[in-house]
Amino acid sequence: MYGSYTGRSRHVARTRTRSLSAAGALLSCVVLSGCFGASKGDSDHASLAGQAKQRPKSTIPYWVNPDGSAARQVAAYRKKGAGGEARLLQKIAEQPVAEWLGVDDPEGQARGFSAAADQVNRDALLVFYNIPHRDCGQYSKGGAADGNAYRIWLDKTVRGIGDRRATVILEPDALPHVVDGCTPKQFHEERYDLLTGAVDKLKGLPRTKVYLDAGNPHWIKDPRRMVEPLKRAGIRKADGFALNTSNYQTTQENRAYGKRLSVLTGGKPFVIDTSRNGNGPAPGKDDPQAWCNPRGRALGERPTTDTGDKLVDAYLWIKRPGESDGTCKGGPTAGRWWPRYALDLARNANRKDS
C-alpha cells in the first residue's frame, strides 16, 4: 500500500510499552496522591507532577499529558541548557495529543489516561488501533490475532473508560483499507462486524464520543466510496468521522471533503487531524513514500473545538507530533519519538507564523 497510496504508518510495540508504563504511573499518581494539582519536585521535570497547564475547556476540553514524550524532551533540553530547543518543543508539550492504546493491559491504560484527565476536569482523547490484519503488513502491521481477540481487547478498554469523559478515534485506516482493496476481501465482513460492535459498546458508555476514521481527501478521493463502508461500520450511532489521521493534507481540503461526506452520511460532523499539516503535504510526485516522514512539514492549527464551522467538531492532534511514521528518511521505527523531526515541525511552524 505505501508505495502507491497516501495512507499512514503508526504505533508499534515499543510505543505501546511506553504508553502502558505512562498510563500505569499516571493512574497510581491519581489514585494515591492526587498529583495533578500544585507543582511538586524538580521544576525542570514536567512529568507526573501536575506541571502541564491545561488549556481552557471552552477552547479545547482535552487533557494535556504532563508525562508525554514532548514534555520529557523539554525537561531534558532544559536540564542541559538547551533553552532554544526546549522553547520550540514546548509548542508540542503544551497541547493535548491523543493516547494510542496498546495490546498489553488495555484496561489499565484506558483507566489510567481517563482517570488522569478526569482528575483535572478534562476529557481523555484516545485512539483504538488494534483491528486484525492492521496496516496491510506495512510499518504498523499487527493488531489483534483474530476477531475474538479484538472483542476481548475491546471489552477491556470499555471497562477502563467507564463513566469518565472520553473521545475515541476508532481504528485509523480500517475502512479506507477496505475501500482501496488493501485489506483482503475475506476479512471485510468481520471488520464491519468488529467496528459496529465497537461503536455500540462505546456509545453504551455514558460520556464517550466516537469518531470512525474515514481517511483523507488524497486517499479515497471520491467521498461517495466511503459512504457504504461508514454505514456498515455504524456511523449512524457514532458521533461522526475523523479525517487526515497521521497525514499532512491541508485543513482547507479536509474541511471541503468532510462537508461532502457529511451530506452523504446524513449530516454527520467530523474532526480533522491538524498535528502536522501546517505546510500541507510534501510537494511533487517523485517520492513513492511522500507520506512517510516528509521533510519541511510543520505543526498545524492548535487543537480546538472552536472551529467556526458547525460541521467541524474539532481540530485535534491525533497523530503525536514528533513520533516517526516508520523507518524511512532516517526515521526510527513507526511510533518512536524522534526529537529531530519534532524540532523541525515546531521550527517550521514558527517560520510560518512569523
Side-chain angles (χ1 to χ4, degrees), residues 54-64 96 117 120-124 165 167 209 303-306 314 316:
Q54 306 299 322
R55 291 179 57 196
K57 287 190 70 176
S58 59
T59 301
I60 185 72
Y62 297 108
W63 173 64
V64 179
V120 290
N121 195 27
R122 293 297 185 275
D123 300 5
R165 294 188 305 271
T167 293
K209 294 182 178 181
T304 183
T305 52
D306 185 14
L316 301 175

Side-chain angles (χ1 to χ4, degrees), residues 52-96:
K53 183 178 180 181
Q54 306 299 322
R55 291 179 57 196
K57 287 190 70 176
S58 59
T59 301
I60 185 72
Y62 297 108
W63 173 64
V64 179
N65 186 347
D67 195 41
S69 297
R72 286 177 173 265
Q73 191 68 61
V74 168
Y77 280 143
R78 286 175 176 166
K79 188 173 182 179
K80 71 177 185 179
E85 287 84 351
R87 284 189 293 274
L88 279 172
L89 287 198
Q90 192 64 38
K91 292 179 65 117
I92 299 174
E94 67 189 7
Q95 301 303 327

